[in-house]
Amino acid sequence: MDFHLSEEQKGLQKLARDFARDELIPNCAELDRLPDGEDVFPWDLVEKGSKLGFNNLAVPKEHGGHGASVLTQVLVIEELSAGEAAVSKVYSHNWKGISGILAAASEEQIARILPDYVKDPRYCIGIGLTEPNSGSDNSVPYDKKISAGPMLSAVRDGDFYVLNGMKHYIALSAQCKYISILARTDKTVPWTEGVTGFMVFPPQDGLEIGRLHDKVGLRLYPQNEVIVNNLRVPVSDRLGEEGKFHSSRKAVVNIGTVEATATALGIAKRSYELALEYARERVQGGKPIIEHQIISTLLLEMFTRLEASRSMLWRSACSIDNGIDDDPKLARVTKAFTVEALNYIATKTVEIWGGMGVMTEAPVEKVYRDAIQLFHMGSTNQVNLMKAMPDL
Ligand SMILES: Cc1cc2nc3c(=O)[nH]c(=O)nc-3n(C[C@H](O)[C@H](O)[C@H](O)COP(=O)(O)OP(=O)(O)OC[C@H]3O[C@@H](n4cnc5c(N)ncnc54)[C@H](O)[C@@H]3O)c2cc1C
């Protein structure tokens, strides 16, 4: 594989790196520590980044976006996440939402969303799948249990569906102008055959944004409950055929996995750089601690895991771009590997920073708090490995 990047890719990578250094790192740490999570959404920064093109990066050219390849998306997410992973997630979550819409929606439906999205630097998209009783079950369909999967119901009533139930952990649901809600249209079959997607444009009667889930990390990337009470959705806003959500989702699932992996890689890069910087500056035993072999060996171990993750991620991204999909398990094991690497690197950074590693005045504890979020985004490590197993 040729690891040379094109001039355009290098340019976008630099744009993201500069934005991370000049805007995200100086401004986000303070926002992240505000005690009330309700106040922290960084609208101004999101808008600034959108004006540089980040929100539209993954939107295909024919719909007014940049049409970036998956590899280019990964390069940009890594740089942005090394500045502030939560802001990076706002963009990449929106890209994931767009991929889902493009896979499931009709031309007419796409024309009702994408022109507004590309014009509006504050446009966010929600994806409403997880419920209090269905998390990993929504990603591990092979056991075919009827009781598993989403239970928020959609019942046909003439030209409408009436939706009732609840979602939780839904990213950007309090900020979004559009949300895809996944609802059970048939409870007599497994969810893979009985879940349908619906287009919803908040604010709307019957749709209430519930409490904010106050997280320890990625605090600028918020999740809320979504409560649906007799929400009437016209049949014309159904995404694809009834019961066919799972088949359209299969087309985009690897993109979501790669996107979460790139976020993990960016946090790991920031963590490694902080460890290296501190090890060069901190003097103990009469010399910078990097000159103690036990510390430099640790740094090399961190570097190796970082580079191995990046190589696997680039290969996964190229595999999607080339349409080869030569090994479907690659993206899944890469995510599990990278999240483990990230959490190793973040923990070792805390160790290298000594007592300062756990002080809120220093940047390291935030990296550590952000790192653990990645265990649960883009499916858990266990779920990714379980889904990789049949491809062995
Ligand atoms: C920051 C963040 C953002 C999110 N954003 C969204 C969003 O925008 N939209 C959305 O719909 N959801 C979102 N989620 C939800 C996310 O997809 C779920 O949290 C995730 O799928 C795990 O589900 P769960 O939390 O219910 O954990 P559970 O499924 O209850 O898992 C608990 C543990 O059991 C393990 N486990 C589960 N099933 C099995 C099994 N069959 N065999 C072996 N082990 C198993 C898991 O790996 C995990 O270790 C978000 C979550 C987070 C943390």
Side-chain angles (χ1 to χ4, degrees), residues 93 127-130 135-136 169-171 215 221 223 373 376-377 380 382 386:
H93 180 87
I127 306 169
L129 177 61
T130 306
S136 301
Y169 300 168
I170 307 305
K215 309 196 299 303
Y221 170 60
Q223 286 72 36
Q373 306 297 310
H376 310 295
M377 294 154 60
T380 67
Q382 293 74 27
M386 282 193 300

Side-chain angles (χ1 to χ4, degrees), residues 13-305:
Q13 201 180 32
K14 181 172 179 320
L15 186 72
R17 191 177 299 148
D18 292 349
F19 183 66
R21 184 197 57 220
D22 299 339
E23 299 287 349
L24 300 181
I25 293 177
N27 292 313
C28 290
E30 201 179 320
L31 274 179
D32 175 87
R33 294 201 175 97
L34 291 179
D36 187 348
E38 297 284 356
D39 297 333
V40 304
F41 193 73
W43 276 118
D44 291 345
L45 285 168
V46 167
E47 182 167 349
K48 257 189 192 170
S50 291
K51 287 184 174 161
L52 292 174
F54 297 130
N55 214 27
N56 288 337
L57 192 78
V59 178
K61 282 198 169 111
E62 63 268 31
H63 295 293
H66 190 277
S69 66
V70 177
L71 178 61
T72 307
Q73 294 172 34
V74 154
L75 298 171
V76 168
I77 296 173
E78 179 185 340
E79 295 301 336
L80 292 178
S81 299
E84 174 54 56
V87 173
S88 178
K89 264 307 290 187
V90 171
Y91 302 126
S92 64
H93 180 87
N94 286 339
W95 305 345
K96 197 164 66 166
I98 296 279
S99 319
I101 292 165
L102 292 175
S106 66
E107 292 290 315
E108 180 276 324
Q109 289 171 328
I110 292 170
R112 279 196 276 140
I113 303 171
L114 261 70
D116 289 338
Y117 176 90
V118 292
K119 270 189 279 174
D120 182 350
R122 292 183 172 219
Y123 202 113
C124 289
I125 292 181
I127 306 169
L129 177 61
T130 306
E131 298 176 9
N133 292 322
S134 68
S136 301
D137 278 355
N138 303 333
S139 301
V140 192
Y142 51 76
D143 58 9
K144 299 265 181 194
K145 284 212 178 74
I146 291 188
S147 59
M151 285 296 166
L152 186 149
S153 66
V155 177
R156 182 87 183 242
D157 178 19
D159 290 340
F160 287 83
Y161 284 87
V162 182
L163 275 58
N164 278 291
M166 182 185 174
K167 301 283 177 188
H168 79 169
Y169 300 168
I170 307 305
L172 306 180
S173 50
Q175 289 74 28
C176 69
K177 292 182 176 146
Y178 167 84
I179 180 166
S180 297
I181 299 220
L182 292 320
R184 196 77 164 238
T185 33
D186 187 348
K187 292 189 180 174
T188 65
V189 292
W191 79 261
T192 44
E193 296 152 38
V195 167
T196 307
F198 294 93
M199 298 163 62
V200 177
F201 298 86
Q204 200 165 324
D205 283 348
L207 183 83
E208 185 194 331
I209 303 305
R211 77 184 168 97
L212 172 84
H213 301 285
D214 202 8
K215 309 196 299 303
V216 297
L218 292 184
R219 288 173 53 74
L220 311 190
Y221 170 60
Q223 286 72 36
N224 282 69
E225 292 173 343
V226 174
I227 299 141
V228 172
N229 191 6
N230 288 329
L231 172 67
R232 291 179 74 78
V233 180
V235 172
S236 57
D237 287 0
R238 188 184 67 209
L239 288 164
E241 287 173 47
E242 202 174 285
K244 295 285 183 223
F245 160 71
H246 180 57
S247 40
S248 66
R249 183 194 191 201
K250 277 200 283 193
V252 293
V253 85
N254 266 359
I255 294 179
T257 311
V258 159
E259 173 263 339
T261 311
T263 310
L265 183 67
I267 305 171
K269 173 183 145 88
R270 166 90 171 131
S271 187
Y272 172 69
E273 287 170 357
L274 286 168
L276 198 60
E277 191 182 293
Y278 193 79
R280 286 181 177 141
E281 281 169 10
R282 176 72 177 163
V283 174
Q284 286 293 282
K287 54 187 178 182
I289 58 172
I290 198 169
E291 291 178 24
H292 295 293
Q293 204 173 34
I294 199 160
I295 298 293
S296 54
T297 310
L298 197 52
L299 284 160
L300 279 172
E301 180 64 40
M302 294 157 80
F303 171 79
T304 307
R305 293 184 195 210

